[in-house]
Amino acid sequence: MNIGVARQQYSQNKIKSLTEQEQNVEAIRIALQQVTSAMKSFVSATTAEDREPHFEMALTRIYILQKCLDFEAGGDLAKNLFRIYEFARQSILNFKGDIETKKNVETAIEYLSVVYEGWREMKL
């Protein structure tokens, strides 16, 4: 293999890797946007039947976000994001429709909105 072919292969792999990275960032942005939207709809729904699709959407997106975390590379940031996602998950699971549990869901939405804004502004 000559050096020109090796450089070309390296450049193609670098471009492909960046594209995959961009796709991952976009997938997380979408999941964050969907989870906050689902949680807002969940907390504002008046019946359990109306809450159900938003409940499922929110929990599914939280699961995706938790699975995307890389604790080895992400260190404390990954741990803190996991805590936010887990708080959001627990606030949904423990929701009873009263003021206190509604406030927990609203607080989780605020935390997730801050995370979303950070991801939305991320430049690669």
Side-chain angles (χ1 to χ4, degrees):
M1 178 184 272
N2 69 35
I3 193 74
V5 173
R7 281 188 192 141
Q8 183 180 12
Q9 186 68 28
Y10 173 78
S11 295
Q12 288 174 347
N13 286 341
K14 187 174 180 181
I15 290 169
K16 182 181 177 186
S17 175
L18 182 61
T19 302
E20 289 173 9
Q21 213 175 18
E22 289 171 342
Q23 289 173 355
N24 291 340
V25 168
E26 185 62 22
I28 292 170
R29 279 187 197 131
I30 291 168
L32 284 164
Q33 181 181 29
Q34 290 175 342
V35 73
T36 54
S37 176
M39 288 178 71
K40 287 175 184 176
S41 297
F42 170 81
V43 80
S44 67
T46 55
T47 67
E49 185 177 280
D50 291 340
R51 272 195 228 48
E52 186 175 344
H54 308 296
F55 174 85
E56 292 172 2
M57 171 71 82
L59 288 180
T60 301
R61 296 314 180 263
I62 291 169
Y63 177 73
I64 290 168
L65 292 166
Q66 287 178 323
K67 292 299 284 181
C68 288
L69 293 172
D70 182 347
F71 291 99
E72 288 183 27
D76 287 339
L77 177 60
K79 289 176 189 173
N80 290 333
L81 286 170
F82 183 84
R83 288 182 185 116
I84 291 170
Y85 301 153
E86 188 61 18
F87 175 73
R89 188 179 77 82
Q90 289 296 323
S91 70
I92 293 168
L93 291 173
N94 294 325
F95 183 77
K96 294 176 180 66
D98 61 1
I99 293 171
E100 184 178 337
T101 59
K102 183 177 180 179
K103 184 178 178 189
N104 285 342
V105 174
E106 291 169 345
T107 300
I109 292 168
E110 289 175 25
Y111 294 162
L112 290 168
S113 294
V114 170
V115 174
Y116 171 71
E117 286 304 314
W119 277 96
R120 198 170 64 88
E121 295 173 8
M122 187 179 295
K123 304 281 189 237
L124 293 179

